[in-house]
Amino acid sequence: MSELERIITMLREDGERLTIQRKLVLEALVATQAHMTINDVSHYIESQQSQSIAEPTIYRILQWLKEHELVSQTDMAEAGIVYQIIGQQRHHHLVCLNCDKTIDIDDTIFNNLRARLFRDHQFEARIDHMAIYGYCRDCEPVEP
Amino acid sequence: MSELERIITMLREDGERLTIQRKLVLEALVATQAHMTINDVSHYIESQQSQSIAEPTIYRILQWLKEHELVSQTDMAEAGIVYQIIGQQRHHHLVCLNCDKTIDIDDTIFNNLRARLFRDHQFEARIDHMAIYGYCRDCEPVEP
DNA sequence: TTGACTGCAAAGCGTTTGCAACAAA
DNA sequence: TTTGTTGCAAACGCTTTGCAGTCAA
């Protein structure tokens, strides 16, 4: 049973309607496993399949997937807002303020922070897909 | 010498022009020491002074202050994008996904994370004003 | 069959831009 | 005087909405 089938089965059991459009968006996100902008999703579907989905529909579907906690939404500054399937291998990004390079980092780096937030504030952090800004090794930090 | 005077002197020494509008925006941010949306800044100035500044100008001034690393910019989700003077007492926020309550947290909580990012990735994080989403002690986390 | 979803077009909103008038240095 | 800044209006891009037609269940 593929990841896509597993997700679809789960949604169906929740009593959700699985339209062609919803399946196409899910397929794009699962197939690429990448963070995609609304445009990326739209273009991917247009190129892979020979059909297109109206933009408002993509917005509605991504919002619906977010409500089901199946996709994460992250503001990547220059790159815009990206969506990504919440998979097993959760990860985050370092974004260079100078050269816009992004570095993938493992989720475990937040374990300590999560624990502290819960211990000190009884706050259960949901860090699904975080972007941290700063300067990469190749770029001089611009001091004020 | 007040904080406002100190900042203005610094900018002047950088060869920047100090217009009335720039001073008013700075004064709003320094006086409130709060995170303000563009609208908050605009309304504050209108109420305190008997003049108003065009919105595009406020956008330009806040961007300019950001470039001088004098204000931070944070996306607070529901509350929108907020700006705040980067003062001595840097802090961050926990935002509850259920009740929208925000909890202020100290900057020191990120020291460990900063150190790890630099050690493991030679990445110099600029965490000026971060919002972390999750569930507060009064709200049940919504499990998928 | 029926209620939910889609597509279209249009509205909405926050943000940016071009340009002439203006003001700080 | 000169160069950078402001205000206005208009453009912009992304996102949302209303509504009629369509489709999954």
Side-chain angles (χ1 to χ4, degrees):
Chain A
M1 195 176 194
S2 74
E3 186 181 356
L4 184 57
E5 286 165 345
R6 194 171 44 73
I7 293 171
I8 287 177
T9 304
M10 208 194 78
L11 286 167
R12 218 186 287 273
E13 282 169 358
D14 277 6
E16 295 290 346
R17 287 197 184 178
L18 267 296
T19 63
I20 302 162
Q21 292 85 348
R22 288 179 169 182
K23 284 180 200 161
L24 285 173
V25 170
L26 266 171
E27 199 198 300
L29 291 167
V30 171
T32 65
Q33 291 283 327
H35 30 83
M36 306 173 92
T37 62
I38 298 276
N39 253 307
D40 293 339
V41 173
S42 175
H43 292 146
Y44 180 90
I45 292 168
E46 272 173 18
S47 67
Q48 294 294 308
Q49 325 288 331
S50 48
Q51 49 189 307
S52 70
I53 305 182
E55 291 227 319
T57 302
I58 301 181
Y59 276 99
R60 285 185 277 228
I61 291 174
L62 287 171
Q63 196 155 322
W64 169 75
L65 288 170
K66 245 178 67 189
E67 283 159 12
H68 282 270
E69 303 207 19
L70 288 169
V71 307
S72 64
Q73 181 184 11
T74 313
D75 188 343
M76 296 281 273
E78 299 303 307
I81 292 171
V82 295
Y83 299 84
Q84 179 167 37
I85 278 284
I86 299 175
Q88 303 59 13
Q89 61 331 347
R90 192 153 52 175
H91 73 286
H92 311 270
H93 298 274
L94 306 177
V95 181
C96 182
L97 288 166
N98 183 245
C99 68
D100 285 339
K101 183 167 66 188
T102 72
I103 301 164
D104 284 17
I105 56 170
D106 200 80
D107 179 65
T108 55
I109 205 156
F110 289 113
N111 287 347
N112 192 279
L113 182 65
R114 281 199 191 85
R116 277 199 63 174
L117 290 176
F118 192 72
R119 193 193 64 201
D120 298 347
H121 304 277
Q122 288 77 53
F123 187 86
E124 190 162 330
R126 281 296 155 87
I127 309 173
D128 285 334
H129 193 198
M130 174 85 90
I132 294 179
Y133 303 96
Y135 297 95
C136 72
R137 74 181 73 183
D138 302 326
C139 290
E140 198 72 9
V142 185
E143 294 300 344
Chain B
M1 194 177 196
S2 75
E3 187 181 355
L4 184 58
E5 287 165 345
R6 196 170 44 72
I7 292 173
I8 287 177
T9 304
M10 208 193 78
L11 286 167
R12 218 186 286 274
E13 282 169 358
D14 278 6
E16 294 290 346
R17 284 196 187 180
L18 267 295
T19 62
I20 301 161
Q21 291 85 347
R22 287 179 170 181
K23 284 181 200 160
L24 285 173
V25 170
L26 266 171
E27 199 199 301
L29 291 166
V30 171
T32 65
Q33 291 283 325
H35 30 84
M36 306 174 92
T37 62
I38 297 277
N39 253 307
D40 292 339
V41 173
S42 175
H43 292 146
Y44 181 90
I45 291 168
E46 272 173 19
S47 66
Q48 294 295 309
Q49 326 290 331
S50 49
Q51 50 191 305
S52 69
I53 305 182
E55 291 228 320
T57 302
I58 301 181
Y59 277 100
R60 285 185 278 227
I61 291 173
L62 287 170
Q63 196 156 322
W64 170 75
L65 288 170
K66 245 178 66 189
E67 284 159 11
H68 283 271
E69 304 208 17
L70 288 169
V71 308
S72 64
Q73 180 184 12
T74 313
D75 187 343
M76 297 281 274
E78 299 303 306
I81 292 171
V82 295
Y83 300 84
Q84 180 167 35
I85 278 283
I86 299 176
Q88 305 56 15
Q89 61 330 350
R90 191 153 54 175
H91 72 286
H92 310 271
H93 298 274
L94 306 177
V95 182
C96 182
L97 288 166
N98 184 246
C99 68
D100 285 339
K101 183 167 66 189
T102 71
I103 301 164
D104 284 16
I105 57 169
D106 199 80
D107 179 65
T108 55
I109 206 156
F110 288 113
N111 287 348
N112 191 280
L113 182 65
R114 282 198 191 86
R116 276 198 64 175
L117 290 177
F118 192 73
R119 192 193 64 201
D120 298 348
H121 303 277
Q122 289 76 55
F123 186 85
E124 190 163 331
R126 281 296 156 86
I127 309 174
D128 285 333
H129 193 198
M130 173 87 88
I132 294 180
Y133 303 97
Y135 297 95
C136 72
R137 73 181 72 184
D138 302 326
C139 290
E140 198 73 9
V142 185
E143 295 298 343

